[in-house]
């Protein structure tokens, strides 16, 4: 317990020193946006470690499936907030690109790194296929709302209206599927041998919650400085949203998944990107679409390149994980696919 307490203290110290500093510098306009971008990116490193520690200890009380789900929920909360803020500013195209980029980033980039650099082991194949199936279902359903915008104005209000029943359907399916998945995970955890405990359950939840709140503030600062970075680097807003914003929005999940995989916690490590992508597809996307009616209605009129990215992100992991075992080759394949999608997003440019 002393070791765990020391780890908490060191992680908390790093977070307290860097994360609030970034937020204060942002509010005071004390440094340039590029400097702020670098500092905010650095602030996510200790937060990533802290969230990984909290998730690892939380999973000892709940099992890897529920632990991964809770990590995804806390990790996606800042992304939901940032997306709503962006929608309220009329940045609908950027929001769509960043949400799809998050799904592709989780299932190809994060999962790829987890498989490539983590220890070998078994995964919960049924749980993985439930998450991937939900992403695939979302891809097919949003195609209905997106197709009318392929050759016309994708922002017109009629498409936003068509997106409402689609969003409601996605939410209903997500609730049903998640209820089944969590009940199954709880039954599996109760029938398994109890693990040696580290932090208490309340301590793990509190640390995860505090780290998530800090991540939300730092991520908002980082995203706010992205336009300066994009302008300096001469990148399209679509590429920045699809790749950079998506990676930054999931930075803590990236770090915690790889950290856990290196420790041999393979089931928990793979559950994090899988659960996160399913949650973005089935919960975050429809919630943003419905909440946006209080500001600027968001049409789920994804571009063909975005729909293709979602389809690849759902199908390729299902293929490489079909044996239920992790391999380094599988990780390399997923990373290669993500690189191809990143190049495609760069070549696509802004709509």
């Amino acid at each position: 317990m002393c070791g765990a307490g020391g780890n908490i203290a060191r992680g908390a110290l790093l977070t307290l020193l860097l994360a609030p500093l970034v937020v204060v510098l942002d509010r005071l306009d004390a440094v340039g946006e590029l400097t702020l971008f670098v500092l905010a990116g650095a602030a996510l490193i200790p937060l990533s470690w802290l969230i990984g520690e909290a998730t690892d200890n939380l999973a000892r009380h709940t099992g890897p499936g529920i632990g991964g789900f809770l990590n995804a929920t806390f990790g996606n909360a800042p992304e939901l907030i940032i997306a709503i803020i962006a929608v309220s500013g009329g940045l609908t195209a950027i929001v769509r690109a960043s949400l799809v980029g998050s799904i592709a980033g989780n299932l190809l980039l994060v999962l790829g790194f987890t498989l490539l650099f983590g220890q070998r082991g078994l995964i919960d194949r049924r749980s993985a296929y439930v998450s991937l199936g939900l992403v695939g279902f979302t891809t097919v359903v949003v195609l209905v709302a997106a197709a009318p915008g392929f050759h016309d104005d994708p922002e017109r209000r009629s498409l936003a209206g068509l997106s409402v029943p689609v969003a409601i359907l996605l939410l209903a399916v997500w609730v049903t599927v998640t209820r089944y998945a969590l009940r199954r995970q709880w039954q599996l955890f109760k029938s398994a041998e109890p693990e040696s405990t580290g932090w208490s359950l309340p301590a793990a939840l509190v640390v995860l919650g505090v780290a998530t709140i800090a991540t939300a503030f730092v991520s908002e600062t980082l995203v706010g400085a992205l336009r300066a970075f994009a302008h300096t680097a001469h990148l399209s807003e679509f590429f920045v949203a699809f790749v950079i914003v998506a990676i930054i929005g999931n930075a803590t999940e990236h770090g915690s998944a790889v950290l856990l995989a290196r420790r041999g916690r393979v089931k928990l490590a793979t559950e994090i990107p899988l659960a996160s992508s399913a949650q973005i597809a089935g919960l975050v996307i429809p919630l943003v679409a419905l909440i946006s009616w209080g500001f600027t209605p968001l049409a789920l009129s994804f571009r063909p390149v975005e729909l293709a990215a979602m389809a690849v992100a759902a199908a390729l992991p299902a293929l490489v994980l079909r044996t239920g075992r992790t391999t380094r080759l599988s990780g390399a394949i997923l990373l290669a696919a993500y690189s191809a999608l990143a190049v495609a997003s760069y070549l696509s440019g802004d709509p």
Side-chain angles (χ1 to χ4, degrees), residues 135-146 165-167 169-170 173 300 307:
V135 175
F137 176 77
T138 299
T139 304
V140 173
V141 171
V142 297
L143 176 62
V144 175
V166 171
L169 173 62
L170 288 176
V173 171
L300 297 179
L307 292 169

Side-chain angles (χ1 to χ4, degrees), residues 271-298:
E271 280 291 341
I272 290 174
L274 288 165
S276 179
S277 59
Q279 197 169 90
I280 293 170
L283 178 65
V284 176
I285 287 177
L287 271 184
V288 172
L290 295 175
I291 294 173
S292 70
W293 281 84
F295 312 102
T296 304
L298 174 71

Side-chain angles (χ1 to χ4, degrees), residues 94-339:
I94 289 178
V95 170
R96 285 193 295 266
S98 66
L99 291 174
V100 173
S102 292
I103 293 174
N106 271 299
L107 291 179
L108 300 177
L109 183 66
V110 183
L111 188 57
F113 274 123
T114 301
L115 298 180
L116 185 62
F117 295 109
Q119 297 184 28
R120 305 304 90 205
L122 298 173
I123 66 165
D124 186 339
R125 193 171 66 163
R126 180 184 294 185
S127 177
Y129 273 52
V130 167
S131 296
L132 294 171
L134 189 55
V135 175
F137 176 77
T138 299
T139 304
V140 173
V141 171
V142 297
L143 176 62
V144 175
F150 287 169
H151 304 291
D152 204 345
D153 178 17
E155 304 293 348
R156 63 184 187 273
R157 197 174 183 86
S158 61
L159 286 183
L162 177 62
S163 299
V164 171
V166 171
I168 293 173
L169 173 62
L170 288 176
L171 281 176
V173 171
W174 181 83
V175 169
T176 303
V177 170
T178 301
R179 182 184 177 193
Y180 158 77
L182 291 179
R183 289 180 61 182
R184 174 179 172 271
Q185 290 294 344
W186 182 245
Q187 292 298 325
L188 289 174
F189 174 68
K190 288 199 302 182
S191 62
E193 293 184 9
E195 299 186 62
S196 57
T197 56
W199 305 352
S200 67
L201 180 60
L205 286 171
V206 168
V207 171
L208 189 57
V210 171
T212 299
I213 293 172
T215 299
F217 281 105
V218 174
S219 297
E220 181 184 3
T221 298
L222 199 63
V223 171
L226 271 176
R227 282 196 162 180
F229 170 80
H231 177 74
T232 303
H234 304 290
L235 298 171
S236 69
E237 288 192 354
F238 175 71
F239 176 82
V240 170
F242 185 87
V243 176
I244 301 175
V245 173
I247 290 176
I248 289 169
N250 294 290
T252 51
E253 292 165 320
H254 299 186
S256 57
V258 174
L259 172 69
L260 292 168
R262 294 287 293 175
R263 292 179 178 175
R265 307 273 288 169
V266 177
K267 284 187 178 180
L268 176 57
T270 55
E271 280 291 341
I272 290 174
L274 288 165
S276 179
S277 59
Q279 197 169 90
I280 293 170
L283 178 65
V284 176
I285 287 177
L287 271 184
V288 172
L290 295 175
I291 294 173
S292 70
W293 281 84
F295 312 102
T296 304
L298 174 71
L300 297 179
S301 50
F302 294 99
R303 300 169 66 185
V305 65
E306 294 167 334
L307 292 169
M310 290 177 66
V312 170
L316 195 56
L319 180 64
V320 301
L321 295 176
R322 67 188 183 282
T323 64
R325 293 181 176 272
T326 63
T327 65
R328 298 190 190 280
L329 177 60
S330 297
I333 291 172
L334 296 182
L335 290 174
Y338 184 80
S339 299

